[in-house]
């Protein structure tokens, strides 16, 4: 047996290590010396928040912008999820809901940009909560926020892969309508497996392959937009302005149109989900404290603009939506394309572009999710943390974390074989998990900024923005009253979306229409709390200081 010894970094944090962990530390230092391509400036910025650089910095501004844009894929996502908004809200609800979500996401991303500029770490939300929370509860709140982020991202990987797999089914149905007679849930599940395994290959093959892949897909993302919107706008018969801007629906039979609108808006939220992926790649980005905020805001501007244009074009070209739904119940946009351009082949090509971009988004989500697993395991918060935190000497990638993300996504997909409605709970819980973690971090930032607890970074600050240290602003932030107002608005918006993410699509609930996100969310949170009480509280001390 090895005898533990203690290192005291502050009065608030105690790091327990044994000789085996010291040996792993030595390996990490050696890997950094031999393989890291980060500049000394990037290494110093990471060391200032207590972390050693062990991942290669393969991403610059353009490549991480491509990564952000091709995970966000708003114009593609608005097509795949617009059915829920159409049923609760109608065309006008979809359009105005898009504007609300775009504005809310802009506010949230600005707040997250301030936080990542302060502490550019792959841990993201849980690290920020650990550094911002009051001393009495920072350990527990940081741990809970980490689990919320993991739940949200893991659900996003599974749901993104399912959307991609079932869209392939939609393509088959578009070209072979007779497939409707023998289409099964397990077909989509097998296609989901193929998607996540393909994403795993791209993530682990070569360390720099992911950055090159996402940079290439950014070009397809933008060119594909024009390849879809031009034939859709020029060749299809158009509805009237009233059909788009003043037509409301309440198919869920809710008490008011406003309530119906609030429930249908979740489809638009899903189209904007995952844009913060760059945050969890921060330790692989050059000059992350500035590049990540710029990529988040630029990516949102690009995707929001393209998504809004695509939304208007689709609503003007929608035609008889009942016919489109009858032909393709899951993805009626494919039938809309077919009737708009008058060609099955043309509609297939247009729809295939959306499928390819959905696969790219799943690949990016897998990368971001694995980095959260790795960062959380690095701080000993997960079962099997000693294995999960290991870095591949060949690729400098946390391959075990990537593998675990894939395995859990495959396990979650088994729910879809039994009941597709139950798997919809997995999709909804991605919103609840991510927005819950954003809300905790944004609320604590608002508290600290109003109280005046955050100061400007000084040259002699050697350790800051981690547990038990001073809080300092990063190089990117909203100054003065503008930052406070934006921070407060982001908290209001996050609360609104988090609340409605658990609502079912119809008033009269059946097992098929019940939103199982409530059950999934409660089960996962209960497991995380039980694990914390029984085991993690004994070894998890918050973000570990590795550099002082």
């Amino acid at each position: 047996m090895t005898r533990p010894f203690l290192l005291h970094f502050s009065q608030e944090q105690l790091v327990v290590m044994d000789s085996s962990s010291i040996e792993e530390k030595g390996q990490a230092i050696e890997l950094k010396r031999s393989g890291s391509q980060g500049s000394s400036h990037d290494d110093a910025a990471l060391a200032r928040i207590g972390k050693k650089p062990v991942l290669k910095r393969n991403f610059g501004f353009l490549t991480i912008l491509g990564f952000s844009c091709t995970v966000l894929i708003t114009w593609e996502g608005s097509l795949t999820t617009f059915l829920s908004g159409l049923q609760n809200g109608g065309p006008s609800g979809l359009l105005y809901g898009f504007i609300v979500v775009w504005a809310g996401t802009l506010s949230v991303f600005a707040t997250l940009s301030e936080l990542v500029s302060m502490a550019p770490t792959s841990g993201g939300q849980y690290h920020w909560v650990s550094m911002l929370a009051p001393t009495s509860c920072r350990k527990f709140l940081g741990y809970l926020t980490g689990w919320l982020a993991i739940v949200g991202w893991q659900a996003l990987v599974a749901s993104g892969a399912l959307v991609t797999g079932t869209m392939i089914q939609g393509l088959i149905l578009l070209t072979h309508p007779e497939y409707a007679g023998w289409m099964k849930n397990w077909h989509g599940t097998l296609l989901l497996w193929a998607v996540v395994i393909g994403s795993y290959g791209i993530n682990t093959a070569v360390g720099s392959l992911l950055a090159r892949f996402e940079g290439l897909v950014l070009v397809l993302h933008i060119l594909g937009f024009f390849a879809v919107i031009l034939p859709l706008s020029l060749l299809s018969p158009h509805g009237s302005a009233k059909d788009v801007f003043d037509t409301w629906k309440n198919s869920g039979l809710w008490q008011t149109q406003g309530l119906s609108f609030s429930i249908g808006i979740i489809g638009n939220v899903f189209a904007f989900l995952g844009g913060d992926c760059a945050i969890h790649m921060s330790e692989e980005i050059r000059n992350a404290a500035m590049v990540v905020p710029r990529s988040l805001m630029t990516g949102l501007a690009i995707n929001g603009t393209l998504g809004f244009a695509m939304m208007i074009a689709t609503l003007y070209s929608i035609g008889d939506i009942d016919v489109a739904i009858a032909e393709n119940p899951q993805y009626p946009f494919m039938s809309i394309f077919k009737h708009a351009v008058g060609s099955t082949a043309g509609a297939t090509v247009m729809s295939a572009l959306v499928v390819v971009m959905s696969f790219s988004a799943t690949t990016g989500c897998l990368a971001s999710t694995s980095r959260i697993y790795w960062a959380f395991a690095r701080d000993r918060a997960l079962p099997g943390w000693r294995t999960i935190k290991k870095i591949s000497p060949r690729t400098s990638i946390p391959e075990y974390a990537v593998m675990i993300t894939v395995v859990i996504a495959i396990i979650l997909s088994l729910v879809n074989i039994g009941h597709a409605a139950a798997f919809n709970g997995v999709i909804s819980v991605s919103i609840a998990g991510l927005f819950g973690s954003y809300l905790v971090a944004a609320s604590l930032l608002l508290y600290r900024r109003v109280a005046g607890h955050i100061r400007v970074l000084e040259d002699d600050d050697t350790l800051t923005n981690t547990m038990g240290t001073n809080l300092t602003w990063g190089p990117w932030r909203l100054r003065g009253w503008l930052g406070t107002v934006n921070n407060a608005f982001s908290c209001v918006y996050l609360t609104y979306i988090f609340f409605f993410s658990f609502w079912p699509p119809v008033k009269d609930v059946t097992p098929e229409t019940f939103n199982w996100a409530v059950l999934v969310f409660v089960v996962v949170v209960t497991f995380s709390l039980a694990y914390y009480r029984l085991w993690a509280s004994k070894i998890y001390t918050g973000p570990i200081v590795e550099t002082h």
Side-chain angles (χ1 to χ4, degrees):
M1 293 179 60
T2 57
R3 291 189 299 175
F5 61 94
L6 303 179
L7 297 175
H8 294 269
F9 291 102
S10 69
Q11 294 180 349
E12 297 174 317
Q13 187 176 19
L14 183 64
V15 181
V16 181
M17 299 180 180
D18 57 21
S19 59
S20 62
S21 65
I22 294 296
E23 186 176 295
E24 291 170 0
K25 257 182 78 177
Q27 293 173 354
I29 295 172
E30 189 62 32
L31 177 60
K32 177 250 179 181
R33 288 173 178 169
S34 60
S36 176
Q37 297 178 348
S39 67
S40 58
H41 174 77
D42 293 321
D43 293 349
L46 193 58
R48 193 178 295 118
I49 60 175
K51 295 301 181 185
K52 287 185 177 296
V54 296
L55 302 177
K56 289 184 179 180
R57 296 186 183 271
N58 292 314
F59 291 88
F61 174 73
L62 287 179
T63 49
I64 200 61
L65 175 62
F67 185 82
S68 298
C69 285
T70 54
V71 170
L72 195 58
I73 58 166
T74 302
W75 75 259
E76 299 91 337
S78 64
L79 292 172
T80 60
T81 61
F82 87 108
L83 185 57
S84 63
L86 202 63
Q87 294 171 337
N88 281 298
S92 300
L94 266 173
L95 190 62
Y96 299 128
F98 187 97
I99 296 173
V100 170
V101 173
W102 190 6
T105 306
L106 180 65
S107 174
V108 172
F109 276 23
T111 300
L112 296 181
S113 293
E114 291 182 301
L115 287 165
V116 74
S117 188
M118 291 172 66
T121 169
S122 297
Q125 295 94 304
Y126 90 85
H127 183 103
W128 306 333
V129 169
S130 298
M131 75 184 190
L132 293 169
T135 305
S136 60
C137 58
R138 61 176 40 158
K139 176 182 169 182
F140 173 74
L141 279 181
Y143 174 84
L144 180 61
T145 302
W147 271 97
L148 289 176
I150 283 178
V151 167
W153 273 102
Q154 181 65 71
L156 189 58
V157 172
S159 56
L162 181 72
V163 167
T164 307
T166 52
M167 275 200 293
I168 295 174
Q169 284 185 288
L171 282 176
I172 297 172
L173 188 60
L174 177 65
T175 54
H176 298 84
E178 66 276 10
Y179 176 58
W182 50 282
M183 184 167 61
K184 303 295 182 183
N185 286 346
W186 62 267
H187 297 173
T189 301
L190 291 178
L191 289 169
L192 180 155
W193 294 0
V195 169
V196 294
I197 291 172
S199 299
Y200 172 80
I202 293 174
N203 269 275
T204 58
V206 181
S208 60
L209 178 61
L210 179 64
R212 296 173 182 175
F213 173 75
E214 297 296 349
L216 178 64
V217 173
L218 174 62
V219 177
L220 182 62
H221 173 59
I222 296 175
L223 294 181
F225 166 79
F226 292 103
V228 171
I229 198 171
L230 290 178
L232 187 64
S233 302
L234 298 177
L235 300 179
S236 67
H238 296 160
S240 65
K242 185 180 186 310
D243 294 335
V244 176
F245 295 97
D246 193 22
T247 300
W248 301 83
K249 288 186 178 182
N250 182 4
S251 300
L253 303 179
W254 295 101
Q255 291 88 337
T256 66
Q257 184 63 57
L259 183 57
S260 176
F261 169 83
S262 296
I263 294 167
I265 204 173
I266 298 301
N268 277 321
V269 173
F270 191 79
F272 278 93
L273 211 58
D276 61 308
C277 57
I279 290 172
H280 306 293
M281 307 295 290
S282 292
E283 296 179 41
E284 298 167 67
I285 300 171
R286 296 181 289 276
N287 191 20
M290 282 299 293
V291 168
V292 174
R294 288 172 178 170
S295 70
L296 288 178
M297 304 307 289
T298 305
L300 181 59
I302 293 172
N303 275 278
T305 302
L306 299 184
F308 188 65
M310 185 62 70
M311 179 71 72
I312 292 177
T314 304
L315 291 176
Y316 266 106
S317 308
I318 201 169
D320 191 338
I321 186 59
D322 293 330
V323 172
I325 293 175
E327 291 180 352
N328 205 318
Q330 282 187 295
Y331 302 105
F333 76 89
M334 296 184 181
S335 292
I336 293 173
F337 287 175
K338 177 182 176 181
H339 294 292
V341 302
S343 166
T344 300
T348 302
V349 172
M350 294 163 68
S351 301
L353 289 171
V354 180
V355 175
V356 171
M357 293 308 306
S358 182
F359 171 76
S360 168
T362 303
T363 302
C365 287
L366 177 60
S368 291
T369 306
S370 66
R371 286 358 179 234
I372 303 175
Y373 274 111
W374 169 75
F376 214 29
R378 177 175 57 179
D379 292 324
R380 305 174 185 173
L382 293 175
W385 57 269
R386 287 183 177 86
T387 299
I388 299 173
K389 74 173 187 175
K390 291 181 179 178
I391 302 293
S392 167
R394 180 179 64 86
T395 61
S396 296
I397 289 172
E399 290 189 357
Y400 287 105
V402 178
M403 187 182 304
I404 286 173
T405 308
V406 170
V407 170
I408 294 178
I410 289 175
I411 292 173
L412 288 174
S413 71
L414 298 177
V415 177
N416 185 62
I417 297 178
H419 209 302
F423 192 85
N424 290 335
V426 176
I427 297 175
S428 295
V429 87
S430 62
I431 297 175
L434 288 177
F435 275 59
S437 68
Y438 300 160
L439 179 59
V440 178
S443 299
L444 289 170
L445 177 64
L446 180 62
Y447 158 67
R448 290 294 188 180
R449 91 190 305 152
V450 170
H453 294 165
I454 311 175
R455 61 175 175 80
V456 176
L457 180 68
E458 298 177 357
D459 292 338
D460 59 350
D461 285 320
T462 58
L463 185 64
T464 183
N465 293 337
T466 189
M467 284 184 65
T469 64
N470 293 322
L471 298 174
T472 58
W473 289 111
W476 196 101
R477 68 182 174 108
L478 299 178
R479 300 175 185 272
W481 64 268
L482 179 61
T484 304
V485 170
N486 175 76
N487 198 164
F489 176 74
S490 68
C491 291
V492 172
Y493 171 74
L494 288 168
T495 303
Y496 169 68
I497 298 301
F498 181 79
F499 177 71
F500 280 104
S501 66
F502 296 108
W503 284 59
V506 297
K507 179 183 176 183
D508 297 324
V509 179
T510 66
E512 287 73 25
T513 58
F514 181 72
N515 189 341
W516 294 92
V518 176
L519 178 61
V520 175
F521 190 82
V522 169
V523 168
V524 173
V525 170
T526 301
F527 169 80
S528 65
L529 294 179
Y531 178 72
Y532 180 82
R533 181 66 180 272
L534 297 174
W535 184 254
S537 60
K538 301 177 179 65
I539 59 173
Y540 175 72
T541 59
I544 295 174
V545 177
E546 302 171 335
T547 56
H548 290 75

